[in-house]
């Protein structure tokens, strides 16, 4: 389902009116003083977010916790062999090895992250186990794999025939050239606000297809691919991770909301930082995509991206849909 910008505004306004956003007031510190909140709600990146949200919603609608909802939600594309940018069936690196990156953050500021994880499909659950069962916040490669096995995760071959075929075709030219929006990347980033008013987020990916072995993008990096501040809001990113890391993207979006910006405005401002640094470095903006989604403490949401093609999924009591994100590059 495609939605244009006009429809997006209309839908947002309707949703806003339906739940009484107009009644919301902010004090001098931009903290909400009204109790009218759009909750529970879950939002996530790309089309696969629709199914992922549905799994998260099963938890949220029954009064479950946001942290459980985001984990359950992103596990859907992680387990789906047909989704080739996340988990099982993900595209490999240039050496033919599928390696996963993920992170998770709860309402208390607990964090867990895993990078370059091989042979375990639910990277997000490994990240959560790191958060809950170790004194650390991030584990990498072999150490992360050994930890996962010790926690009962099963070894599995993540490289499936379709991705292997693509990789072999890619080897003929052997060029690392990610294409914006053309399915050789994509990450599921998910943000949820639960019935108790708590926020959490999760982010998981197989990263850029045919990346260098050992390459880590933004997705497992707290502050870049994901950030949650339970007083303010949460944000997550997708697209060319190198550009997101450069501006500490998700943390920036949350800080902009702290200063009073609405979610879409905050996402737009962060995208403008990406644009500025691309221009400063004489890089061609058309070669990249970066998209942010954000959710604030009132359950208001928004997104913004560099160029057309990025969409995000929403599920709440009033809404269940996929929305095209507004974008900067008009060509
Ligand atoms: N951000 C991911 C990465 O750089 C890829 C994506 O979301 O498209 O690994």
């Amino acid at each position: 389902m495609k939605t244009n910008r006009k429809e997006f505004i209309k839908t947002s306004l309707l949703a806003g009116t339906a739940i009484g956003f107009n009644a919301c007031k902010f004090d001098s510190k931009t903290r909400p003083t009204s109790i009218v909140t759009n909750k529970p709600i879950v939002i996530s990146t790309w089309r696969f977010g629709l199914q992922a949200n549905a799994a998260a919603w099963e938890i949220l609608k029954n009064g479950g916790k946001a942290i459980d909802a985001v984990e359950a939600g992103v596990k859907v594309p992680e387990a789906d062999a047909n989704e080739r940018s996340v988990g099982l069936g993900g595209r490999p690196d240039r050496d033919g090895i599928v390696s996963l990156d993920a992170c998770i953050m709860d309402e208390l500021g607990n964090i867990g992250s895993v990078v370059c994880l091989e042979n375990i499909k639910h990277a997000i659950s490994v990240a959560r186990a790191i958060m809950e069962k170790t004194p650390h916040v991030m584990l990498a490669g072999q150490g992360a794999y050994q930890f996962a096995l010790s926690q009962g995760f099963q070894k599995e071959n993540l490289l499936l025939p379709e991705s292997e075929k693509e990789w072999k075709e890619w080897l003929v030219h052997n060029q690392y050239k990610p294409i914006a929006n053309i399915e050789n990347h994509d990450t599921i980033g998910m943000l949820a606000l639960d019935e108790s008013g708590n926020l959490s987020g999760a982010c998981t990916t197989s990263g850029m297809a045919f990346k260098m072995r050992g390459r880590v993008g933004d997705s497992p990096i707290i502050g870049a691919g994901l950030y949650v501040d339970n007083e303010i809001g949460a944000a997550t990113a997708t697209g060319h991770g190198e550009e997101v890391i450069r501006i500490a993207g998700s943390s920036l979006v949350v800080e902009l909301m702290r200063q009073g910006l609405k979610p879409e405005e905050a996402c737009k401002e962060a995208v403008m930082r990406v644009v500025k640094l691309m221009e400063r470095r004489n890089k061609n903006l058309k070669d990249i995509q970066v998209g942010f989604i954000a959710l604030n403490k009132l359950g208001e949401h928004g997104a913004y991206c560099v160029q057309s093609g990025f969409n995000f999924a929403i599920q709440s009591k009033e809404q269940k849909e996929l929305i095209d994100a507004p974008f900067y590059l008009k060509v």
Side-chain angles (χ1 to χ4, degrees):
M1 180 174 71
K2 282 253 169 190
T3 312
N4 63 28
R5 169 94 178 108
K6 215 159 127 197
E7 279 168 332
F8 168 77
I9 293 168
K10 201 173 76 193
T11 316
S12 303
L13 282 176
L14 279 174
T17 310
I19 55 171
F21 282 158
N22 294 343
C24 296
K25 297 267 184 304
F26 287 80
D27 67 19
S28 57
K29 290 183 188 140
T30 73
R31 301 269 156 74
T33 55
S34 160
I35 49 160
V36 181
T37 303
N38 181 21
K39 64 181 182 174
I41 182 169
V42 56
I43 67 172
S44 58
T45 54
W46 303 105
R47 176 173 287 277
F48 48 35
L50 285 169
Q51 274 184 299
N53 284 358
W57 187 251
E58 286 303 307
I59 292 173
L60 293 172
K61 77 172 187 204
N62 294 316
K65 292 184 71 176
I67 188 70
D68 296 326
V70 294
E71 182 190 4
V74 304
K75 281 175 81 171
V76 174
E78 276 187 342
D80 187 342
N82 296 318
E83 295 298 354
R84 303 230 301 287
S85 55
V86 179
L88 177 69
R91 292 183 181 84
D93 64 20
R94 68 181 188 182
D95 295 346
I97 295 160
V98 181
S99 72
L100 306 181
D101 296 332
C103 73
I104 192 159
M105 185 163 189
D106 74 7
E107 77 278 7
L108 299 173
N110 291 310
I111 54 174
S113 160
V114 65
V115 303
C116 299
L117 179 69
E118 294 171 19
N119 296 313
I120 306 276
K121 72 176 169 226
H122 287 308
I124 199 65
S125 299
V126 177
R128 185 165 182 183
I130 291 167
M131 172 172 95
E132 291 176 345
K133 297 182 179 157
T134 80
H136 307 302
V137 298
M138 186 183 270
L139 290 180
Q142 267 301 310
Y145 175 63
Q146 280 159 12
F147 167 72
L149 292 182
S150 78
Q151 297 299 305
F153 289 86
Q154 294 302 308
K155 179 178 181 181
E156 205 170 336
N157 175 24
L158 303 181
L159 183 63
L160 297 185
E162 272 302 309
S163 290
E164 187 170 11
K165 184 167 161 267
E166 266 187 39
W167 169 62
K168 287 192 171 144
E169 284 162 9
W170 175 84
L171 278 177
V172 176
H173 298 292
N174 202 350
Q175 253 190 348
Y176 180 69
K177 203 168 186 303
I179 307 165
N181 297 322
I182 311 284
E183 296 282 315
N184 63 357
H185 59 95
D186 288 1
T187 291
I188 180 134
M190 176 177 280
L191 310 171
L193 178 67
D194 63 28
E195 194 61 56
S196 309
N198 285 321
L199 287 158
S200 290
C203 188
T204 178
T205 189
S206 52
M208 304 307 270
F210 320 130
K211 60 194 176 186
M212 283 177 72
R213 184 144 169 73
R215 178 264 188 191
V216 176
D218 61 312
S219 306
I221 298 179
I222 296 291
L226 175 72
Y227 200 70
V228 177
D229 183 326
N230 204 39
E231 285 186 7
I232 304 297
T236 187
T238 182
H240 289 69
E242 285 74 6
E243 304 311 319
V244 179
I245 293 171
R246 213 180 300 284
I247 63 156
S250 294
S251 167
L252 175 62
V253 172
V254 171
E255 290 313 305
L256 289 163
M257 290 194 287
R258 194 191 308 277
Q259 289 168 26
L261 269 59
K262 292 288 184 190
E264 183 183 317
E265 293 167 345
C267 293
K268 181 175 181 181
E269 183 61 31
V271 164
M272 295 317 293
R273 300 270 180 102
V274 170
V275 170
K276 197 191 275 180
L277 289 191
M278 286 289 285
E279 285 171 356
R280 196 178 292 167
R281 287 154 46 243
N282 272 326
K283 302 283 183 190
N284 191 348
L285 212 49
K286 276 192 199 150
D287 291 342
I288 66 144
Q289 175 64 296
V290 167
F292 293 103
I293 63 171
L295 180 65
N296 70 13
K297 198 65 181 162
L298 292 174
E300 297 171 303
H301 51 75
Y304 203 82
C305 60
V306 168
Q307 53 182 303
S308 72
F310 169 52
N311 42 31
F312 70 111
I314 301 166
Q315 187 153 357
S316 68
K317 281 176 199 146
E318 285 82 19
Q319 258 180 308
K320 184 180 176 180
E321 60 186 311
L322 188 70
I323 288 178
D324 287 342
F327 54 91
Y328 168 76
L329 204 58
K330 315 279 188 299
V331 264

